Amino acid sequence: MELTPVLDERSGTPLYEQIYAYIRAEIVAGRIAPDAKLPSIRRLSVYLGLSRTPVELAYQQLLAEGYLTSKPRSGLFVAPLGQPAWSPRSPRQEPTAIEGAAAGASPGAASCNAPPVRLDFGYGHTDLEHFPFAKWRRLMNESFLASNRRLFRYGDLQGEPELRAEIAAYLHQVRGVRCTPEQIVVGAGTYHSLDLLCQLLKPAVSRIASEAAVNDGVRAAFEQHRFAMAPIPLASDGIETARLADTDAQAVYVTPSHQFPYGMVLSIGKRYELLNWAARTGGIVIENDYDGEFRYYGKPVPSLQGLDPSGERVVYVGTFSKALTPSFRISYLVLPAPLLARFCDGRHSYDQLASPILQHTLHLFMRSGGFERHMRKMRTLYEKKHGLLLHAVKTHLGSRATVIGDGSGLHILLRISGPLCEGQLIERAAAIGIRVYPVSTYELEAEKAPSSTVMLGFGGVASEQIDSGIAELSRVWPGMAK
Ligand SMILES: Cc1ncc(COP(=O)(O)O)c(C=O)c1O
């Protein structure tokens, strides 16, 4: 196992504390599995280019706190942590069938002891009550015609051309992206698309600057490819672009239309600063526009890609997981010419994992105007749910709650003033059958995680359950004693 903490020698925090905090956060988040063997002190200190002392001190602290156990003559291992009432795993995921059966509980139950989940504010969930099932059945039937034999073979490596043409037209119209179908590479979900992107970025890119809080799967994709991550703090108008110059990064990762998870929009001034930085340094801007279609106040914010005068510096990453359903596993990259050339030269080991049949059916859905109608309907529906949620928070939690990141997307954050920390807020909710989710796991620097803040997705929650759900939470989340 390699450990790659981002260490800041100029910060006031001693190196051993930074290493300790990093490893502890990785263990708590489940990114280092129980029983995993840690690298020896010598190996890790050589790898990090440090003396042995900070690594030794960090290990000692982790041992003392029970995160590690020592096995004579074998080394240090991650201790089993025991099951928290909430799952540290990404809230995008449902529990596996085995976990569900083991818990003897309804799907979504978080642990053996927690009561069955009655209400799940999972942010990866979309509304299925309004999914156009009949239309998709009809279109799937159409794809299954015997004359469509090519769809039953391995598909086009880049994605089915007819779908790429629809995506290019849609992106231009709705997100202001300027591209041709030839620039699009279809993927089986954002992380699959990022895996390809990582291959294409190397070796020119070795360090990626990033918003200081990042989706866990995105971070895992970058780290698996051994990019060093340089966290950049977030302000109310997005990433502190002025700090980019200090990082030596060759690429920067952003979610400009709706920062994940904090929800701010990258200001137009900063968009131009990012593009200027990219033009000046030859850097690449990676724009993840995972839910930019859903904006409830004012107009949708056009993509950053569409502002790039050169058309060469921005990689646009998109997905159908929010707009349609995560289960189809269809995402895409829009590659600028230099990276497209690397893709076409075959400088990667990419395999097309998105089903050609689903890709073709999605193309039929888009071509028929069904997707546009669906998006209009979902925007109205999510806007209603978003309004109901904000109203319920105001009514039942009042000044106890600060809402963060409202106005777009399918989730909000709630900072709850009072005695409870994030884990306690989650545990208390789980104890009454309601799931809310941590935010701290997304911070690249664990010690900068916000306190007492949780994430609530509203896409998959029934409108009728929102008010009563928040009322129930207000009863188990006490305010500050007067
Ligand atoms: C920042 C971000 N990007 C992308 C996605 C979607 O990932 P996928 O396309 O793999 O479903 C999510 C999931 O909710 C996300 O939070």
Side-chain angles (χ1 to χ4, degrees):
M1 185 206 307
E2 298 289 18
L3 298 169
T4 313
V6 179
L7 301 175
D8 183 353
E9 301 204 55
R10 283 169 303 175
S11 92
T13 313
L15 284 174
Y16 89 88
E17 269 192 29
Q18 296 184 40
I19 299 170
Y20 152 83
Y22 171 83
I23 298 177
R24 191 188 59 173
E26 295 295 289
I27 293 174
V28 171
R31 286 189 287 270
I32 307 183
D35 293 330
K37 183 171 185 219
L38 265 83
S40 68
I41 293 170
R42 190 188 55 76
R43 225 183 102 204
L44 186 56
S45 52
V46 169
Y47 178 66
L48 297 177
L50 300 173
S51 73
R52 291 165 57 106
T53 312
V55 176
E56 197 166 352
L57 286 173
Y59 278 7
Q60 271 169 9
Q61 185 63 26
L62 290 162
L63 263 171
E65 291 183 14
Y67 289 97
L68 302 181
T69 53
S70 164
K71 293 190 189 163
R73 286 186 297 282
S74 308
L76 290 175
F77 293 78
V78 175
L81 276 191
Q83 181 77 352
W86 49 273
S87 166
R89 178 175 46 186
S90 163
R92 295 170 7 108
Q93 295 168 15
E94 305 288 350
T96 63
I98 292 171
E99 283 169 348
S106 64
S111 83
C112 304
N113 300 326
V117 176
R118 296 178 292 113
L119 180 55
D120 191 342
F121 285 102
Y123 88 91
H125 303 183
T126 53
D127 187 291
L128 291 177
E129 293 306 310
H130 298 80
F131 186 82
F133 288 106
K135 173 119 192 164
W136 267 83
R137 267 199 305 279
R138 227 173 22 253
L139 296 176
M140 282 296 268
N141 256 343
E142 211 175 298
S143 293
F144 268 84
L145 290 175
S147 51
N148 279 338
R149 272 163 208 262
R150 79 178 164 88
L151 299 178
F152 293 80
R153 304 198 184 101
Y154 292 109
D156 186 311
L157 184 65
Q158 201 169 336
E160 299 308 305
E162 65 275 22
L163 175 62
R164 288 191 274 121
E166 288 297 334
I167 293 175
Y170 165 76
L171 288 180
H172 184 244
Q173 221 183 315
V174 178
R175 306 296 304 125
V177 171
R178 288 178 300 168
C179 71
T180 63
E182 289 68 37
Q183 282 175 266
I184 293 178
V185 182
V186 173
T190 302
Y191 312 139
H192 181 228
S193 289
L194 287 177
D195 182 65
L196 168 64
L197 178 60
C198 289
Q199 297 183 47
L200 300 178
L201 290 176
K202 283 187 285 193
V205 173
S206 60
R207 179 180 290 270
I208 300 180
S210 161
E211 295 167 337
V214 188
N215 173 287
D216 46 350
V218 170
R219 172 188 186 170
F222 290 143
E223 289 182 348
Q224 265 157 26
H225 282 271
R226 305 205 175 280
F227 290 108
M229 301 289 288
I232 301 200
L234 287 156
S236 60
D237 60 348
I239 191 168
E240 302 260 24
T241 38
R243 307 277 283 269
L244 205 48
D246 308 332
T247 64
D248 279 346
Q250 301 86 18
V252 57
Y253 167 83
V254 281
T255 45
S257 302
H258 186 219
Q259 201 282 329
F260 184 88
Y262 291 106
M264 60 281 270
V265 174
L266 187 69
S267 65
I268 186 71
K270 287 186 168 178
R271 284 170 192 248
Y272 282 118
E273 276 170 33
L274 276 188
L275 294 173
N276 289 342
W277 167 84
R280 213 174 42 248
T281 62
I284 295 284
V285 180
I286 304 165
E287 173 180 22
N288 182 358
D289 195 22
Y290 63 106
D291 68 0
E293 292 99 339
F294 299 115
R295 182 147 191 85
Y296 312 122
Y297 309 143
K299 285 203 284 237
V301 185
S303 70
L304 179 58
Q305 194 268 10
L307 289 178
D308 176 14
S310 71
E312 299 228 322
R313 305 268 47 105
V314 182
V315 177
Y316 180 92
V317 189
T319 177
F320 286 95
S321 289
K322 304 285 181 205
L324 215 44
T325 159
S327 82
F328 290 166
R329 309 311 300 131
I330 299 184
S331 57
Y332 45 87
L333 291 178
V334 178
L335 293 175
L339 292 175
L340 183 64
R342 286 182 64 79
F343 178 81
C344 295
D345 286 351
R347 287 190 227 171
H348 54 79
S349 59
Y350 193 61
D351 196 4
Q352 182 49 257
L353 301 183
S355 148
I357 295 174
L358 272 176
Q359 289 187 52
H360 183 76
T361 313
L362 178 54
H363 133 80
L364 293 176
F365 187 58
M366 294 178 92
R367 197 187 61 182
S368 70
F371 185 60
E372 204 184 315
R373 278 193 295 281
H374 179 69
M375 287 304 290
R376 267 204 303 273
K377 191 163 80 183
M378 298 316 277
R379 223 172 272 131
T380 311
L381 178 71
Y382 290 143
E383 184 172 358
K384 180 177 154 210
K385 291 189 184 189
H386 169 263
L388 287 171
L389 180 57
L390 294 189
H391 185 260
V393 168
K394 196 164 166 206
T395 309
H396 302 295
L397 287 161
S399 59
R400 244 183 298 163
T402 308
V403 177
I404 302 167
D406 56 321
S408 49
L410 301 184
H411 73 270
I412 59 166
L413 306 187
L414 288 184
R415 184 184 305 132
I416 306 295
S417 67
L420 303 181
C421 67
E422 177 193 86
Q424 291 166 323
L425 292 167
I426 293 166
E427 279 178 16
R428 291 224 176 175
I432 56 167
I434 301 182
R435 280 188 119 184
V436 298
Y437 291 88
V439 180
S440 58
T441 42
Y442 302 117
E443 288 287 338
L444 286 177
E445 296 167 295
E447 66 282 5
K448 299 214 173 130
S451 58
S452 307
T453 305
V454 288
M455 178 186 285
L456 277 74
F458 54 85
V461 178
S463 302
E464 312 74 60
Q465 286 191 294
I466 292 177
D467 187 74
S468 57
I470 299 296
E472 285 189 68
L473 288 175
S474 77
R475 290 195 279 276
V476 294
W477 288 349
M480 207 64 108
K482 294 243 161 70

